[in-house]
Amino acid sequence: MTPRSVLTAGLFKGSTLGHAEIPAATAANVLVIALTPHNSKMRSRSFCANVNTTSPHVRIKHPKLPAPTTIQPHSRISKVHANSSISAIDAISSRHSSTYASARNGTAPKAPWLGSTNSLFELFEKTIPRPRRNFRFNFGASGVPKNGSLAVSDSKYLSVQVGEDAYFTRPDALGVADGVGGWAGTKGANPALFSRLLMHHAKAEVEKYDDLANYEEEVRDYYAIDPRTVMRRSYEQVMKNKSLVGSSTALIVILRNDELRVANLGDCGMMVIRDDEIIFRTEEQQHMFNFPYQLGTGSHDGPQDAQVFRVKVQESDLVIIGSDGMFDNVFDDEILDLVGRVTDGDPISKVDPQRITEALAKRAVEVAEDPRCISSPFQTRAIDEGVYYQGGKMDDVTVLTAVVGIAEDSPDRR
């Protein structure tokens, strides 16, 4: 873009041009910034005037205003470049409203930048569009299988297995899947492997964008990535194994710039906490009580049925993702309370998110295993459906927490 600078300013009254004399140095298009009062605030308008080198001034007239006045350019404003394309400036501070008032009184209006150490462009610095900030996740993960075994992580898969749950983590993406336990007793069924493969292929799909030089995807595809597309491609890879029997719910979250992109199918959950308040929360997808939407053998549900959300985030937002083993046993208010206990007044950015995940997973297991527990989210939903149930729900518990922070590096997008 050709550099340019502004010589001076004229005045509007309503939508009518006022008058002023503009010193001219070269033949060029001159941007004239015009102030007009509207609801006690100043607005701006602009137009271009051709400067003639044979005349010492450009004279802009209107009969309704006082005699023409001359506005001298600021010493720090350089000459305009000939034939430069000038666009309108869309905001001026109300503190310069006195300029219009002085024009009505017949006195010479003073340009707001005269006598200032700042140039005109510095005056309008805040009006220049700025790129969105690039964020990343600082994350933690905890998993407690219901059978008392340990979470399984090995080099064979990119995902981690927690009983019949599975998850993956990245600085720009998170995912959790819950293998449907209803397959228990069915010969050859393996919902645990199904959920793990689903998250393995989901992470592999996202990792394709780490080095675009080795793939056909272009840079714009990196920013346009869609979690539902990732879920679909992952599901297609899993279903290539014709001998695998099982099904799973799934939730995938991708962070691009300041936007969370979410695809959720089933009863896993996600929430975003900002300043001790929940600003976003997914809802369960169920055909009927305790019968969630699911991907897999014999299911009519597919990735196209997933809920899709886009959530704007800020630095220090806390993202919590979990399988139903967590959200069936811990109320939302309890989650806020536990986060507050862990942070203990410290900024969330200063707290290790692993501590939060461990606190939430521990509480979920306590509720699930306590026969004296008088209330749980699962119990509440059961009663709402007319089903008698008391206490928590025994299940695999998977919790991922991520604090949104400024990205120090960006992926290789050569």
Side-chain angles (χ1 to χ4, degrees):
M1 181 177 292
T2 305
R4 55 183 180 267
S5 55
V6 178
L7 289 182
T8 185
L11 299 173
F12 275 100
K13 179 179 181 182
S15 60
T16 306
L17 182 64
H19 52 262
E21 292 186 354
I22 306 172
T26 60
N29 287 331
V30 179
L31 176 65
V32 179
I33 304 166
L35 307 178
T36 177
H38 181 69
N39 295 334
S40 301
K41 294 184 179 180
M42 302 303 294
R43 290 186 173 183
S44 66
R45 302 184 186 183
S46 63
F47 68 96
C48 289
N50 291 322
V51 179
N52 189 340
T53 53
T54 61
S55 173
H57 296 87
V58 173
R59 189 177 179 88
I60 305 167
K61 298 182 180 181
H62 190 275
K64 295 183 180 180
L65 290 183
T69 56
T70 301
I71 307 175
Q72 299 296 333
H74 191 276
S75 59
R76 293 184 61 184
I77 300 176
S78 60
K79 297 180 180 179
V80 293
H81 291 257
N83 300 321
S84 60
S85 176
I86 310 294
S87 60
I89 296 178
D90 194 36
I92 286 186
S93 170
S94 60
R95 68 177 180 271
H96 305 310
S97 58
S98 59
T99 307
Y100 178 74
S102 61
R104 293 187 61 185
N105 296 331
T107 60
K110 181 180 179 182
W113 55 86
L114 289 181
S116 169
T117 58
N118 297 324
S119 70
L120 181 61
F121 288 140
E122 290 171 330
L123 180 66
F124 294 107
E125 182 179 5
K126 293 183 179 181
T127 69
I128 301 174
R130 298 177 182 275
R132 290 179 294 182
R133 306 182 78 177
N134 194 22
F135 291 121
R136 70 185 301 275
F137 288 136
N138 178 24
F139 57 83
S142 291
V144 183
K146 61 185 175 185
N147 59 10
S149 61
L150 299 176
V152 179
S153 176
D154 52 57
S155 58
K156 186 177 180 180
Y157 299 109
L158 298 174
S159 56
V160 179
Q161 184 176 338
V162 182
E164 292 173 342
D165 289 356
Y167 70 86
F168 76 86
T169 55
R170 284 173 47 92
D172 65 345
L174 304 168
V176 62
D178 180 5
V180 177
W183 287 101
T186 302
K187 185 178 180 179
N190 193 342
L193 179 60
F194 194 98
S195 64
R196 190 168 190 193
L197 286 174
L198 193 62
M199 291 295 96
H200 164 80
H201 289 296
K203 184 173 183 177
E205 187 65 31
V206 178
E207 285 189 347
K208 289 182 180 180
Y209 298 89
D210 286 350
D211 186 357
L212 294 181
N214 298 326
Y215 292 88
E216 296 180 357
E217 286 84 353
E218 300 181 7
V219 174
R220 64 174 177 270
D221 295 324
Y222 170 85
Y223 289 105
I225 186 171
D226 173 33
R228 184 158 54 184
T229 300
V230 172
M231 184 183 294
R232 175 180 57 80
R233 292 176 178 174
S234 174
Y235 181 48
E236 289 171 350
Q237 291 296 318
V238 174
M239 295 305 289
K240 288 181 179 180
N241 185 348
K242 302 301 182 180
S243 63
L244 180 61
V245 177
S247 59
S248 175
T249 64
L251 189 152
I252 297 173
V253 178
I254 297 175
L255 178 63
R256 283 294 181 268
N257 291 330
D258 60 348
E259 183 178 74
L260 279 183
R261 302 173 186 177
V262 184
N264 178 44
L265 187 132
D267 56 3
C268 292
M270 188 201 86
M271 64 170 56
V272 180
I273 298 175
R274 178 184 301 159
D275 299 329
D276 302 322
E277 293 185 1
I278 298 173
I279 66 167
F280 176 80
R281 171 76 151 86
T282 58
E283 295 184 358
E284 296 179 347
Q285 282 184 308
Q286 298 208 21
H287 294 289
M288 62 180 66
F289 176 67
N290 210 26
F291 179 19
Y293 283 38
Q294 54 200 272
L295 303 173
T297 308
S299 176
H300 296 290
D301 305 323
Q304 70 277 2
D305 299 309
Q307 299 170 322
V308 175
F309 307 96
R310 294 199 170 197
V311 185
K312 290 295 184 179
V313 292
Q314 300 176 5
E315 185 179 3
S316 297
D317 281 354
L318 176 64
V319 181
I320 299 177
I321 300 173
S323 63
D324 62 335
M326 199 273 282
F327 286 102
D328 278 345
N329 290 299
V330 187
F331 287 101
D332 291 356
D333 288 344
E334 280 189 284
I335 293 175
L336 284 175
D337 184 59
L338 286 167
V339 171
R341 292 182 193 178
V342 173
T343 57
D344 193 25
D346 293 332
I348 192 70
S349 59
K350 303 296 183 182
V351 177
D352 183 359
Q354 186 62 33
R355 293 174 53 203
I356 301 175
T357 62
E358 292 173 357
L360 293 174
K362 179 181 178 182
R363 178 55 182 164
V365 173
E366 288 175 350
V367 173
E369 295 180 344
D370 185 3
R372 298 171 297 178
C373 179
I374 61 173
S375 183
S376 71
F378 186 78
Q379 174 184 318
T380 301
R381 286 193 291 272
I383 293 174
D384 289 342
E385 295 293 330
V387 179
Y388 174 76
Y389 190 93
Q390 181 175 345
K393 178 188 176 185
M394 283 298 300
D395 204 349
D396 303 313
V397 176
T398 300
V399 185
L400 312 178
T401 61
V403 178
V404 177
I406 302 297
E408 297 179 358
D409 302 304
S410 59
D412 184 358
R413 298 188 290 276
R414 293 171 292 177

